[in-house]
């Protein structure tokens, strides 16, 4: 019906959807949009609460271990509470609170930066992701003595 109206009207113009293809700017915009969407990786989905919390906890744990291993670190770094984070353990909330509230090492920039990251993780855990996360345990001792990952041997070593 739509096409027959244009054909019988006697005028020389195209239906609106064909005008889109004849406009060079619109063609370019469509091609650009298609190219950008094809260039994005398939995993371009926004992070979930869980993935964000997991990544931040790993980042904090790694930064703390680097700070502890650093020879240039201030002597007060050795007095900081241990900071091994397992977001599946309910005690991680108390661990983060204790670390952020620890009064020592305020003069060390790396420690202050680490405390800010820990504060951010705590805020995410108790507010933004409060309903999304499930704690699998409440074993506070497990956060004091981290379980080392299993050592993987290659076939050539045996």
């Amino acid at each position: 019906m739509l096409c027959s109206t244009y054909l019988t009207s006697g005028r020389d113009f195209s239906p609106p959807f064909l005008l889109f293809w004849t406009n060079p700017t619109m063609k370019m915009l469509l091609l650009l949009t298609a190219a950008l969407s094809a260039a994005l990786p398939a995993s371009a989905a926004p992070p979930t609460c869980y993935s964000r919390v997991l990544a931040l906890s790993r980042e904090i744990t790694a930064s703390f271990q680097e700070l502890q291993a650093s020879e240039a670190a201030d002597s007060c770094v050795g007095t900081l509470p241990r900071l091994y984070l397992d977001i599946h353990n309910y005690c991680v909330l108390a661990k983060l609170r204790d670390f952020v509230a620890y009064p020592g090492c305020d003069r060390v920039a790396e420690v202050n930066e680490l405390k800010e990251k820990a504060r951010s993780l705590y805020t995410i855990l108790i507010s933004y992701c409060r309903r999304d996360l499930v704690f699998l345990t409440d074993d506070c001792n497990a956060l004091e003595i981290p379980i080392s990952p299993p050592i993987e041997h290659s076939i050539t070593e045996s």
Side-chain angles (χ1 to χ4, degrees):
M1 179 72 181
L2 180 65
C3 289
S4 66
T5 308
Y6 289 107
L7 293 174
T8 59
S9 67
R11 294 188 197 164
D12 188 23
F13 63 90
S14 302
F17 59 87
L18 289 180
L19 289 176
F20 178 81
W21 292 109
T22 58
N23 186 341
T25 306
M26 291 304 229
K27 273 186 186 176
M28 188 57 101
L29 183 63
L30 180 64
L31 290 173
L32 181 64
T33 304
L36 285 177
S37 64
L40 289 176
S43 63
T48 62
C49 265
Y50 178 77
S51 64
R52 176 66 182 128
V53 165
L54 186 63
L56 188 55
S57 69
R58 287 179 179 165
E59 180 184 336
I60 291 169
T61 300
S63 294
F64 180 75
Q65 289 171 347
E66 288 173 11
L67 184 63
Q68 291 269 320
S70 172
E71 294 165 3
D74 196 286
S75 61
C76 73
V77 171
T79 65
L80 288 170
R82 292 179 59 100
L83 194 59
Y84 168 71
L85 303 177
D86 176 10
I87 62 162
H88 305 101
N89 190 331
Y90 184 75
C91 293
V92 74
L93 296 172
K95 177 65 90 174
L96 288 167
R97 268 194 317 264
D98 292 346
F99 185 79
V100 169
Y102 188 75
C105 287
D106 287 338
R107 65 184 181 277
V108 181
E110 292 87 358
V111 173
N112 288 331
E113 188 177 307
L114 199 55
K115 283 184 176 185
E116 279 304 311
K117 286 182 184 179
R119 185 177 291 116
S120 295
L121 178 59
Y122 182 79
T123 302
I124 292 170
L125 283 169
I126 65 167
S127 58
Y128 302 114
C129 298
R130 182 179 70 228
R131 293 183 185 102
D132 295 343
L133 298 176
V134 176
F135 296 107
L136 304 176
T137 183
D138 61 352
D139 182 10
C140 295
N141 289 330
L143 295 178
E144 294 302 319
I145 305 168
I147 300 170
S148 58
I151 299 172
E152 295 181 20
H153 296 286
S154 69
I155 297 173
T156 58
E157 289 179 13
S158 333

